[in-house]
Amino acid sequence: MTTAAPAEAEALRARLSRLDTAALSDAMDSLRTPPCVLPGIATRTPGTIACGPAFTVRYRAVDDDTTFHNAANYIDDVPAGSVVVVDNGGSRTCTNWGSLLSSVALHRGISGTVVHGSVRDVKESRAAGYPLFSTDVTMVSGKNRVVLDRTGAEIDIAGTPVRPGDWVFADDNGALRIPADLVEEVVRRAEAVERTESRIREAALGGDRLDEARARFGYARPWEDGGDHDDR
Amino acid sequence: MTTAAPAEAEALRARLSRLDTAALSDAMDSLRTPPCVLPGIATRTPGTIACGPAFTVRYRAVDDDTTFHNAANYIDDVPAGSVVVVDNGGSRTCTNWGSLLSSVALHRGISGTVVHGSVRDVKESRAAGYPLFSTDVTMVSGKNRVVLDRTGAEIDIAGTPVRPGDWVFADDNGALRIPADLVEEVVRRAEAVERTESRIREAALGGDRLDEARARFGYARPWEDGGDHDDR
Amino acid sequence: MTTAAPAEAEALRARLSRLDTAALSDAMDSLRTPPCVLPGIATRTPGTIACGPAFTVRYRAVDDDTTFHNAANYIDDVPAGSVVVVDNGGSRTCTNWGSLLSSVALHRGISGTVVHGSVRDVKESRAAGYPLFSTDVTMVSGKNRVVLDRTGAEIDIAGTPVRPGDWVFADDNGALRIPADLVEEVVRRAEAVERTESRIREAALGGDRLDEARARFGYARPWEDGGDHDDR
């Protein structure tokens, strides 16, 4: 769990929202953290980002197909600002998310949804601008195929664990998690990465060779916000 | 074969065209029909739908590569309003559809095309607004790689049979078939599903909890258009 | 290496740029060349094309993870008009291309980039209109995961060789290479294919059956620009 107070959490979210998954992943690389990418997740609403503490949801296969199983009801309990992260084992055969959930999530101020599995109604979510990310798309309901196992537990997304309180960030490059205890340092380093890259870009577009600009602005260690130096 | 007369078929198509694959799939689930999704088919012209009786086309690999094989010619015989469903075994290595066929299909009033395999010229089909759905995209012609096996036969799309006369519906969620003898009941139930979901959405956006709205409007059996009730 | 002088190369590029991968692939089929498609490469900037002589770049996995490895620096040496073709073994786990490289490539007049592997910052490349093609998208840097092996060597893209001097063309249908010694004949034939298809399209939209229009305009041998004939 992040220990940040609400105001601090909001300040952190504001800083995160100006970053992207590329800078955040580079910052985590510099800290030699374990892999943080949620593999195989792609945007369904290009140009949007999801950014917030993870609200985890796990489904399991129905083992009794003689009984009717209701749709899962957890959305009313998701805190505003969270990213809903759904573990349905990467399923391509049934969905756990559709337009009704996107509408309610937008209404409740939820930041976005990442599904390790399939979603439906992508057209409607795109029209509403709801940040939706998934492994695949199908129209087949999860109802009577999978049931809610639990919420608020650690889940595993194709080898990457996501724990409640971890931050999740998703954009057009994919989705990643940031361990709760690292998020402040990761943001600080990612901001430095962005500054370093801006300096290099400006120099290269101003006529410098890229290799020289990279050396001059310390691209080998871009999170060390040192300005003009040479590390060749 | 659907036994509906043309005017009835047109009325049915008009009703179907206001639905989507999600509601249709839910309606078929409620009837406990066999799986109806055509697996792995994705839209190449986002925002369009294909809806109509299936005109089936099957290709087979060329076993004699010393002879020149012409392109398949069947498009002149496809009835207006049909959906062309092409079985090329899910091939990612050659296409069976391109811009010339999209132009002719549009001109002839064909409703759309679903290819279990690859297509090309997606840019042109998108610009023309032709509803095109496929497993993949490549530029390599099927000419001299595959030949027309037959049209009008039952085909198998990754485990799902499609018979002439079955209806096919495809949208941004993917493609499905509706067995000819179920289509009227499926449409009736899908319309009820849509009405139930609208009531739930309205209640949830009006301030109700989603779980309560679902219970009140019978989301457990959304195709039973019963209005206000409680099934918890 | 193409032996064309710069002015001739520019004239060739101008002719190529009015074509597409479908016509070029058909022209190569008519010459019975080996397969020329670069398998599994998809556009990340829909509607753009890359067209030019290949500048080849090969990466290999880092075998020593105790040392810090710099980013590869080759972009300053890529001739204007080239297509950068990166062989990273089709990796889905790390990238070799991002927005900084797209900016510099645009600035230097590079025609586009094809990555057999993953790229990041697709949103920025799309906004800049840079022609970018790849196997997949992720946000994880290649830094310290892969290192530059060499540039200017023959590479292998999922079974298709690309040699320096080969031309590469990529569009919404995917990417292909045109062997250097065939490029002039391929362009000539592809232009004939386009003319034949235009005549057929015009006839079919004018009311002819497609099978008749194809027979009349020689669709069986569309690269033989013979005008009106009958080859049934």
Side-chain angles (χ1 to χ4, degrees), chain A residues 29 173 201 210 214 219-220, chain C residues 68 72 76 103 121 143 145:
Chain A
D29 277 352
N173 296 319
R201 185 185 310 259
L210 182 64
R214 279 177 164 171
Y219 190 65
Chain C
F68 185 88
D76 300 300
S103 295
D121 304 331
K143 228 162 138 179
R145 292 184 174 86

Side-chain angles (χ1 to χ4, degrees), chain B residues 121 124, chain C residues 16 18-25 169 171 173 190 194:
Chain B
D121 304 331
E124 291 80 356
Chain C
L16 267 163
R18 286 188 290 270
L19 294 165
D20 64 15
T21 52
L24 292 165
S25 176
F169 195 106
D171 64 15
N173 297 318
E194 293 280 22

Side-chain angles (χ1 to χ4, degrees), chain A residues 62 108-109 188 194:
Chain A
V62 163
R108 290 182 52 78
R188 201 191 61 71
E194 293 279 22

